[in-house]
Amino acid sequence: MIDQDEFFMQAALAEAKKAEMKLEVPIGAVIVKNNEIIATAHNLRETEQRSIAHAELLAIDEACRKLGTWRLSETTLYVTLEPCPMCAGAIVLSRVDRVVYGASDPKGGCAGTLMNLLNDDRFNHQAEVMGGVLESECSSLLSDFFRTLREKKKIQ
């Protein structure tokens, strides 16, 4: 039987695949409240040419609009790649209670890899963090995307 975190991470992976179809870095996010997905998003940085169009930020924005509040307490954010510093800051500021990610990010991860902004008690909010959910699927999606990108660049 599939557990709840894996179920919602599969929804985040489905979002990541939408990004991949648009030639975006395949990262997807969903926000869940009371066992219901209230927001979904995927990277749109290349499509929109906006540095802040990360999956997590877009999902947070959608959840805030849907709930009519900037406080996302009692929510869990599922994301296929460990949040960067910008996204980790938005998670703290929007009061997300829990973050579940798939693949660690050795170059920018701020949910435990390079640092953990989500658990820093100097902030007035901390989020519970769980990493490694469907890690191999999330990692494979990213590594296959970048491998294909490198191969295309060699051909050109």
Side-chain angles (χ1 to χ4, degrees):
M1 186 172 147
I2 189 166
D3 83 4
Q4 186 172 336
D5 287 338
E6 288 181 0
F7 175 81
F8 290 119
M9 187 60 74
Q10 286 178 342
L13 274 164
E15 284 296 312
K17 289 173 184 171
K18 291 178 187 177
E20 182 180 39
M21 297 299 290
K22 298 175 181 176
L23 302 178
E24 292 278 354
V25 176
I27 300 170
V30 300
I31 297 180
V32 173
K33 183 170 183 157
N34 299 326
N35 292 320
E36 179 187 336
I37 294 174
I38 61 167
T40 63
H42 53 274
N43 267 8
L44 289 174
R45 194 166 60 168
E46 296 299 326
T47 303
E48 296 185 359
Q49 288 298 299
R50 293 187 315 127
S51 58
I52 64 167
H54 286 204
E56 300 96 318
L57 294 182
L58 297 171
I60 287 169
D61 190 48
E62 180 182 324
C64 289
R65 279 188 273 113
K66 182 168 186 179
L67 297 177
T69 181
W70 62 267
R71 290 179 183 91
L72 298 180
S73 54
E74 300 177 15
T75 64
T76 299
L77 183 144
Y78 291 86
V79 61
T80 55
L81 182 66
E82 180 181 3
C84 72
M86 175 176 64
C87 293
I91 290 163
V92 169
L93 293 173
S94 62
R95 310 292 196 266
V96 170
D97 286 337
R98 185 166 179 258
V99 174
V100 179
Y101 69 86
S104 295
D105 184 355
K107 294 182 178 180
C110 286
T113 299
L114 294 180
M115 64 183 66
N116 193 339
L117 293 176
L118 300 177
N119 286 151
D120 193 320
D121 62 11
R122 294 173 292 180
F123 293 119
N124 64 348
H125 178 79
Q126 292 81 40
E128 177 189 335
V129 177
M130 174 182 278
V133 174
L134 298 183
E135 183 174 15
S136 61
E137 292 93 328
C138 294
S139 295
S140 293
L141 188 61
L142 285 160
S143 38
D144 291 350
F145 174 81
F146 285 114
R147 184 179 311 108
T148 302
L149 201 60
R150 284 190 300 273
E151 288 169 4
K152 284 181 182 176
K153 285 183 179 180
K154 285 181 188 177
I155 294 170
Q156 292 176 352

